[in-house]
């Protein structure tokens, strides 16, 4: 420990996480010796003299799991190995820069098949874990590169004629009759000064890059290039805006300012067009819309990544952020630091909360917090807190790092000290907890996949948006207004309108309710404090019974009404609460049926029963009368994200009385549910002998796992039931549930809706008076759009919408199935 802490330093330990990073292990769970600390204490927290030693003084348990922030590879992607995995050390393959993904394994998609072509023309394949590789391109990127390569054949004269330099000169000439020589000349001089300053700070590489861009030397503005080029002339957008507003003098000035920014090559957004406009100090109603004056501008900067740039969340990519990392959807991220060969760091500007941080230096002072990103947030052991400000006094600036003109950042500790000495006040700062980070070339790859838009803008636009949020923006709005504003400023208003109010927007609002709104205001407030472990708002956590063994614990749970006993062979169904605990994460578990196949002191292992995959298992059956062989197909079901290794990777199940009488398979648990586990050989033999049909069996790939704490107390599936996330299905309902499951077929684009309906029916059959409750819900469903039935305080609806949270949960499940089991994400949108 450091600082003023009285706690003794016990020692340090290290653990090799390479097996996690390479996918060799799912979890690392080790007891590690501590060394290098002190072995004694004088009772006051100070180390006793003479007790320092380098021997092992204690042990610490370290449990690590890893999930890459990169999107999962898809067939057709180009990938390269990470620095933790050297292909030459692992495979007898030629070492190339990248390999093509041929196939992604069923289940959690961890294993991918990579291919390469030999000099002789043979296509060879090998298997790798997805953690071992990084996506470096896809088919669309290859097409862009090919188009760019073809453009090199265009003559120099043709390239110059299509360059931003020539277009901007043409635009300047056309401005002369309307604006006069003096006004245009002043703009040109101002722009030249800004460009020289940029080259002075950026060096020769920056200057050469700007010249290449301005002269179209690489042919990126080839008129024969039909590919959408994000580095197209910014002036085109501004001129189009001017054509639409010819009668508005103020808009003309805005266009002129933005055009000047483009003409000067001010790609980093730190140009000479900053005004001294101050933010209004009026009440919150003054900030319903950020007014634009001639000093405010923004433009799409293509793929220029640098400090001071803004990264806007994209909406045109195939896989959005609706199912995972919802906080990135329509985010506006300010780049604080960028090194393309090492790391890029940014903070999300448009996720205000109503949560506060305590001040341990200034008594009674509280600091309002913004969610800055998913790395080192407030729930981290070492949170990363950045304080943005626009103060200009020397004392503050000496303690700060500039980001762009008029915007600097400092640490939270510095901000508190500046307030202590009277150099600033808490309202001068915007406090961001956590950040977003990208590794080498990662952000560029995501730009290629249209996950983001790069934007250059002025500081006044950002400061006014932060001021508007400070004046009382509702955290449940999730900062969508800021994103819409910037999209309009860069000429993408139509795109913004087209993607407004959809599935991803609704999921973002639900994420904001859970993470940005405090418990006192009806939210989850999980950045500061954890909500009740039930995951259901308003439900108080019940104390665990104190027992000496897991058996006594389970008996106590049953006796206290905290949940029914869960053992091997038990079937549970996901919660029937209106607000599903699986809306934002693990959507595959929404309305799921889980069969527990193993439960010990460390783990509960189960399989999802009602998630057919887009693949069937072929069973070769030999007719005992004719001797001919026929093929029967049994729907393969997704059981969970963890794969089973070994000779029997699939789990075969049946509930047939005739098979039971013939002794086929082994009972699961106490046999009360009548479920048997068998092998693929048992299946083939019983069908050949005529004692069973293919539709008598369920086959599952993959398992789901719930871990337990020491001694198995308060963890595993039993604890999930106790929290209300799952409900135990009574034995009397097992037959009807199983009958509905057997009606499901191999998943396809044609039967997606039918399969989901059958999955829902099977789930419903395991509950109570489902039909009566569903009927009542239907009667209470709002009709129409935002209007007569709109109530922003109705927590059964998504904030400021007429969409039921229960319906959104169903939509999230459909989107998950369409995306991850069917590979057709667009089918989840309709």
């Amino acid at each position: 420990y450091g600082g003023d802490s009285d706690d003794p330093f016990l020692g340090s330990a290290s653990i090799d996480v390479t097996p996690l990073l390479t996918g060799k292990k799912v979890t690392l769970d080790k007891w590690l010796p501590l060394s290098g600390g002190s072995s004694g204490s004088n009772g006051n927290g100070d180390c006793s003299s003479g007790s320092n030693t380098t021997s092992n003084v204690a042990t610490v348990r370290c449990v690590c799991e890893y999930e890459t922030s990169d999107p999962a590879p898809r067939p057709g992607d180009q990938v390269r190995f990470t620095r933790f995995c050297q292909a030459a050390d692992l495979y007898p393959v030629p070492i190339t820069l990248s390999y093509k993904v041929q196939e992604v394994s069923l289940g959690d998609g961890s294993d991918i098949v990579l291919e390469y072509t030999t000099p002789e023309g043979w296509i060879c394949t090998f298997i790798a874990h997805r953690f071992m590789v990084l996506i470096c391109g896809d088919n669309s990127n290859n097409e862009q590169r090919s188009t760019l390569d073809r453009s090199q054949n265009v003559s120099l004269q043709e390239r110059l004629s299509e360059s931003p330099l020539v277009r901007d000169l043409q635009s300047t000439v056309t401005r002369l009759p309307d604006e006069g020589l003096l006004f245009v000349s002043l703009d040109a001089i101002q722009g030249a000064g800004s460009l020289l300053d940029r080259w002075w700070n950026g060096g020769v590489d920056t200057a050469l890059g700007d010249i290449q861009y301005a002269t179209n030397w690489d042919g990126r503005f080839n008129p024969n290039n039909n590919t959408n080029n994000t580095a197209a002339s910014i002036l085109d957008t501004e001129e189009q805006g001017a054509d639409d507003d010819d009668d508005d003098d103020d808009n003309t000035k805005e266009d002129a300012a933005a055009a000047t920014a483009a003409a000067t090559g001010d790609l980093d957004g730190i140009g000479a067009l900053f005004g001294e406009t101050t933010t209004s100090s009026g009440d919150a109603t003054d900030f319903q819309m950020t007014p634009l004056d001639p000093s405010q501008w923004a433009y799409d900067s293509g793929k220029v990544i640098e400090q001071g740039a803004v990264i806007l969340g994209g909406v045109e990519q195939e896989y959005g952020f609706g199912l995972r990392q919802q906080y990135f959807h329509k985010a506006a991220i300010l780049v604080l630091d960028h090194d393309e060969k090492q790391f890029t760091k940014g903070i999300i500007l448009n996720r205000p909360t109503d949560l506060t941080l305590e001040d341990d230096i200034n008594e009674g002072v509280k600091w309002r917090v913004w969610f800055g990103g998913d790395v080192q947030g407030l729930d981290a052991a070492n949170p990363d807190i950045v304080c943005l400000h626009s103060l200009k006094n020397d004392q503050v600036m000496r303690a700060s790092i500039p980001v762009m003109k008029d915007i600097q950042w400092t640490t939270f500790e510095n901000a508190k000290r500046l307030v202590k000495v009277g150099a600033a006040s808490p309202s001068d700062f915007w406090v961001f907890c956590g950040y977003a980070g990208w590794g080498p070339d990662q952000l560029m790859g995501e730009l290629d996949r249209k996950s983001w838009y790069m934007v250059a803008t002025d500081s006044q636009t950002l400061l006014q948006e932060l001021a508007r949020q400070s004046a009382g923006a509702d955290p449940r709005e999730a900062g969508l207004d800021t994103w819409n504003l910037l999209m309009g400023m860069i000429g993408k208003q139509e795109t913004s309108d087209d993607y407004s109010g959809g599935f991803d927007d609704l999921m973002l609002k639900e994420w904001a309710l859970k993470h940005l709104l405090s418990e006192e205001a009806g939210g989850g407030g999980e950045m500061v404090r954890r909500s009740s472990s039930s995951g259901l708002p308003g439900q108080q956590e019940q104390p665990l019974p104190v027992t000496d063994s897991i058996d006594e614990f389970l008996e106590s749970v049953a006796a206290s009404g905290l949940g029914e006993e869960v053992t091997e062979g038990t079937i549970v169904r996901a919660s029937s609460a209106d607000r599903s605990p699986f809306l934002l994460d693990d959507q595959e578990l929404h309305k799921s049926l889980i069969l527990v196949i193993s439960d010990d002191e460390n783990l509960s292992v189960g399989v999802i029963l009602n998630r057919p995959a887009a693949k069937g298992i072929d069973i070769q059956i030999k007719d005992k009368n004719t001797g001919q062989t026929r093929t029967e197909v049994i729907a393969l079901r997704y059981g969970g994200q963890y794969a089973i290794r070994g000779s029997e990777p699939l789990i075969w199940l049946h509930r047939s009385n005739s098979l039971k009488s013939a002794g086929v398979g082994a009972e699961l648990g106490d046999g009360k549910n009548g479920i048997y586990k068998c092998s693929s050989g048992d299946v083939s033999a019983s069908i050949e002998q005529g004692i069973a049909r293919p539709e008598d069996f369920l086959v599952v790939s993959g398992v789901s796992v719930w871990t337990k704490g020491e001694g198995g107390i308060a963890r595993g599936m039993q604890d999930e039931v106790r929290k209300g996330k799952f409900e135990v299905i009574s034995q009397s309902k097992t037959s009807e549930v199983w009958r509905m499951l057997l009606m499901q077929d191999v998943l396809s684009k044609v039967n997606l809706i039918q399969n989901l309906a059958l999955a829902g029916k099977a789930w419903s059959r395991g509950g109570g008076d489902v039909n009566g409750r569903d009927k009542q819900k239907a009667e209470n469903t709002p009709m129409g759009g935002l209007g007569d039935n709109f109530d922003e305080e109705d927590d059964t609806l998504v904030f400021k919408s007429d969409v039921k949270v229960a319906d959104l949960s169903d939509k999230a499940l459909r989107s998950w199935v369409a995306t991850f089991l069917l590979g057709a994400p667009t089918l989840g949108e309709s």
Side-chain angles (χ1 to χ4, degrees):
Y1 295 86
D4 299 327
S5 174
D6 293 330
D7 296 312
F9 173 69
L10 295 180
S12 61
S14 63
I15 184 171
D16 181 10
V17 297
T18 305
L20 286 180
L21 302 181
T22 55
K24 291 181 179 179
K25 291 184 177 294
V26 176
T27 302
L28 289 180
D29 188 350
K30 293 185 177 181
W31 285 93
L32 305 173
L34 293 178
S35 60
S38 58
S39 60
S41 173
N42 60 15
N44 297 319
D46 299 324
C47 297
S48 302
S49 59
S51 64
N52 292 337
T53 177
T54 57
S55 63
N56 296 335
V57 296
T59 57
V60 59
R61 186 183 183 186
C62 182
V63 181
C64 301
E65 293 182 347
Y66 171 70
E67 176 59 46
T68 176
S69 59
D70 280 355
R74 295 167 296 170
D77 284 349
Q78 293 290 327
V79 299
R80 63 177 175 81
F81 283 92
T82 68
R83 63 189 181 91
F84 301 103
C85 306
Q86 300 299 322
D89 300 333
L90 302 172
Y91 304 99
V93 299
I95 307 306
T96 64
L97 292 179
S98 64
Y99 303 87
K100 183 179 179 181
V101 178
Q102 183 189 81
E103 184 181 348
V104 177
S105 69
L106 186 70
D108 62 352
S110 293
D111 293 329
I112 56 176
V113 179
L114 305 180
E115 70 173 46
Y116 65 92
T117 304
T118 67
E120 296 79 19
W122 294 99
I123 296 178
C124 302
T125 61
F126 60 102
I127 298 176
H129 194 279
R130 66 185 178 92
F131 288 175
M132 300 168 62
V133 299
L134 294 172
I135 299 173
C136 58
D138 55 25
N139 292 334
S140 62
N141 299 334
N142 294 334
E143 292 169 3
Q144 272 191 341
R145 277 195 293 272
S146 299
T147 304
L148 203 59
D149 292 339
R150 291 195 300 270
S151 70
Q152 304 304 312
N153 297 323
V154 181
S155 68
L156 177 60
Q157 180 178 355
E158 289 177 313
R159 276 180 269 163
L160 281 174
S161 65
E162 295 295 326
S163 68
L165 176 63
V166 171
R167 290 187 178 185
D168 292 346
L169 286 175
Q170 292 171 343
S171 174
T172 301
V173 172
T174 59
R175 289 171 56 199
L176 283 173
D178 295 328
E179 301 178 33
L181 179 62
L182 179 61
F183 185 87
V184 174
S185 298
L186 286 174
D187 276 357
I189 294 171
Q190 189 180 42
S194 173
L195 189 61
L196 290 174
D197 182 67
R198 170 182 165 82
W199 288 358
W200 177 265
N201 293 323
V204 175
D205 290 341
T206 299
L208 290 177
D210 288 351
I211 292 172
Q212 183 184 57
Y213 171 88
T215 60
N216 193 28
W217 187 262
D218 56 4
R220 70 181 69 184
F221 299 104
N222 179 6
N224 297 320
N225 185 352
N226 294 324
T227 305
N228 269 337
N229 197 321
T230 56
S233 173
I234 296 94
L235 198 56
D236 290 346
T237 302
E238 301 299 337
E239 288 174 346
Q240 180 62 46
D243 291 340
D244 295 338
D245 299 300
D246 283 336
D247 297 331
D248 192 329
D249 292 338
D250 291 336
N251 286 342
T252 302
K253 292 180 181 178
E254 294 165 16
D255 296 341
T260 305
T264 58
D266 184 23
L267 301 180
D268 60 354
I270 311 178
L273 294 177
F274 296 96
E276 298 301 326
T277 305
T278 57
T279 304
S280 168
S281 58
D283 57 28
T285 58
D286 295 333
F287 294 95
Q288 294 303 309
M289 180 62 69
T290 300
L292 296 180
D293 59 41
S295 68
Q296 290 183 253
W297 50 267
Y299 59 83
D300 185 336
S301 58
K303 297 180 182 178
V304 178
I305 309 171
E306 54 192 346
Q307 179 179 305
V310 173
I311 308 170
L312 284 185
V315 291
E316 300 174 273
Q317 69 271 38
E318 185 176 8
Y319 296 92
F321 293 111
L323 297 178
R324 298 288 186 271
Q325 299 177 300
Q326 290 89 359
Y327 43 82
F328 279 139
H329 174 63
K330 293 188 177 180
I333 304 173
L334 177 64
V335 178
L336 299 182
D337 188 26
H338 172 65
D339 185 333
E340 62 184 12
K341 298 190 180 303
Q342 295 187 21
F343 190 67
T344 299
K345 178 180 180 178
I347 53 174
I348 303 177
L349 298 177
N350 59 332
R351 299 290 182 258
T353 81
D354 67 348
L355 309 172
T356 56
L357 280 174
E358 300 290 341
D359 191 325
D360 58 350
I361 296 178
N362 304 286
E363 186 177 356
V365 174
K366 292 185 177 181
W367 302 71
R368 184 180 178 182
V369 179
W370 270 249
F371 174 85
D374 56 345
V375 183
Q376 288 185 255
L378 277 179
D379 57 351
N382 183 29
D384 187 279
I385 304 177
V386 169
C387 300
L388 286 188
H389 66 85
S390 59
L391 299 172
K392 296 183 179 180
N393 69 68
D394 291 341
Q395 189 173 7
V396 177
M397 296 187 73
R398 284 196 300 271
S400 304
I401 296 175
V403 180
M404 57 195 299
K405 183 179 178 182
D406 294 335
I407 296 182
Q408 303 94 40
W409 73 270
T410 189
T411 65
F412 186 44
E413 294 302 316
N414 282 345
K416 291 187 292 185
R417 293 189 180 98
L418 289 169
V419 171
K420 184 71 173 179
V421 301
S425 65
S427 61
D428 290 325
F429 298 93
W430 294 280
V431 182
F432 297 84
C433 185
Y435 65 90
W438 292 267
D441 301 321
Q442 181 184 353
L443 179 54
M444 185 61 72
E446 294 177 7
L447 286 172
D448 289 337
R449 294 190 293 276
K450 297 184 179 181
S451 295
W452 311 99
Y453 308 114
M454 291 304 305
V455 175
T457 188
D458 67 290
S459 59
Q460 292 302 320
T461 296
L462 301 182
L463 291 172
Q464 289 194 26
E465 278 303 292
L466 289 172
R468 181 185 65 81
Q469 294 174 24
S470 300
D474 194 314
R476 292 172 294 180
E477 295 276 14
L480 290 172
D481 286 348
T482 299
W483 184 85
N484 289 330
L485 170 75
L486 291 171
M487 287 289 285
M489 291 180 69
I490 65 174
K492 293 184 179 291
Q493 188 61 57
E494 185 176 351
T495 299
S496 174
D497 294 340
D498 289 344
Y499 289 89
S500 178
F503 171 73
D504 290 359
D505 280 11
L506 298 173
M507 293 291 283
L508 172 61
K509 286 184 177 182
E510 280 297 298
W511 177 87
L513 172 66
K514 182 177 180 181
H515 294 275
L516 305 186
L517 193 69
S518 63
E519 291 178 356
E520 292 78 5
E526 289 194 343
M527 287 203 329
V528 166
R529 62 184 71 82
R530 294 289 180 183
S531 61
S532 65
S533 63
S534 67
L536 304 175
Q539 181 171 331
Q540 297 297 317
E541 175 135 14
Q542 303 184 54
L544 290 172
V546 179
T547 59
D548 295 328
S549 69
I550 184 62
D551 293 332
E552 291 180 13
F553 167 73
L554 294 175
E555 292 175 3
S556 300
V557 166
S560 61
L562 295 179
E564 299 180 53
E565 183 177 353
V566 176
T567 59
E568 180 181 315
T570 300
I571 300 180
V572 298
R573 72 173 203 149
S575 168
S576 57
D578 285 335
R579 189 173 295 276
S580 171
F582 306 111
L583 172 59
L584 299 176
D585 301 290
D586 302 322
Q587 291 88 359
E588 69 273 21
L589 296 180
H590 174 62
K591 291 188 176 179
S592 63
L593 294 166
I594 308 290
L595 171 65
V596 178
I597 61 173
S598 175
D599 192 89
D600 58 27
E601 63 180 8
N602 297 314
L603 299 171
S604 293
V605 181
V607 292
I608 307 174
L609 296 175
N610 56 340
R611 298 285 175 262
K615 182 179 180 181
I617 298 298
D618 293 343
I619 299 293
Q620 302 298 321
I621 306 299
K622 186 175 182 179
D623 191 294
K624 60 182 180 180
N625 296 321
T626 65
Q628 295 182 341
T629 300
R630 71 180 190 278
T631 300
E632 296 285 355
V633 179
I634 300 178
L636 179 65
R637 296 163 190 267
Y638 171 85
Q641 60 178 317
Y642 297 98
I644 299 176
R645 306 297 182 187
S647 58
E648 281 286 345
L650 301 180
I651 299 171
W652 293 86
L653 304 167
H654 77 78
R655 226 179 144 267
S656 167
N657 289 328
S658 59
L659 290 172
K660 176 182 177 180
S661 301
V664 177
E667 277 185 321
L668 279 175
D670 56 14
K672 292 180 180 178
N673 278 323
I675 300 174
Y676 287 73
K677 181 181 176 183
C678 57
S679 67
S680 58
D682 291 335
V683 174
S684 298
S686 59
I687 295 176
E688 287 181 359
Q689 294 168 14
I691 60 176
R693 301 167 299 170
E695 53 266 31
D696 290 330
F697 299 94
L698 297 184
V699 57
V700 186
S701 173
V703 298
S704 301
V705 174
W706 291 267
T707 59
K708 298 184 180 182
E710 185 175 355
I713 301 297
R715 297 297 296 274
M717 180 54 77
Q718 183 70 65
D719 196 47
E720 296 292 287
V721 172
R722 185 185 65 83
K723 292 174 181 178
K725 291 186 176 181
F726 289 94
E727 306 161 358
V728 175
I729 295 178
S730 66
Q731 299 167 20
S732 62
K733 296 177 181 178
T734 303
S735 295
E736 183 61 16
V737 168
W738 201 266
R739 186 179 70 83
M740 299 303 299
L741 290 173
L742 293 176
M743 295 173 65
Q744 291 183 290
D745 203 350
V746 177
L747 184 66
S748 68
K749 295 180 180 179
V750 175
N751 68 13
L752 170 63
I753 303 302
Q754 179 185 3
N755 255 319
L756 285 172
L758 288 171
K761 287 181 179 180
W763 173 85
S764 297
R765 295 296 191 273
D769 185 17
V770 178
N771 293 330
R773 186 174 69 250
D774 286 347
K775 181 179 180 182
Q776 183 179 6
K777 287 182 181 179
E779 292 173 353
N780 293 333
T781 301
M783 303 299 292
L786 295 180
D788 296 340
N789 292 288
F790 170 68
D791 179 2
E792 69 178 40
E793 299 307 323
D794 184 352
D795 64 2
T796 67
L797 300 176
V798 180
F799 182 63
K800 286 191 176 180
S801 81
D802 59 357
V803 177
K804 286 274 190 181
V805 177
D807 294 337
L808 181 62
S809 299
D810 291 345
K811 179 71 176 293
L813 170 61
R814 173 176 170 175
S815 182
W816 187 93
V817 171
T819 300
F820 296 107
L821 295 186
L822 198 54
T826 55
L827 291 181
E829 298 174 2
S830 55

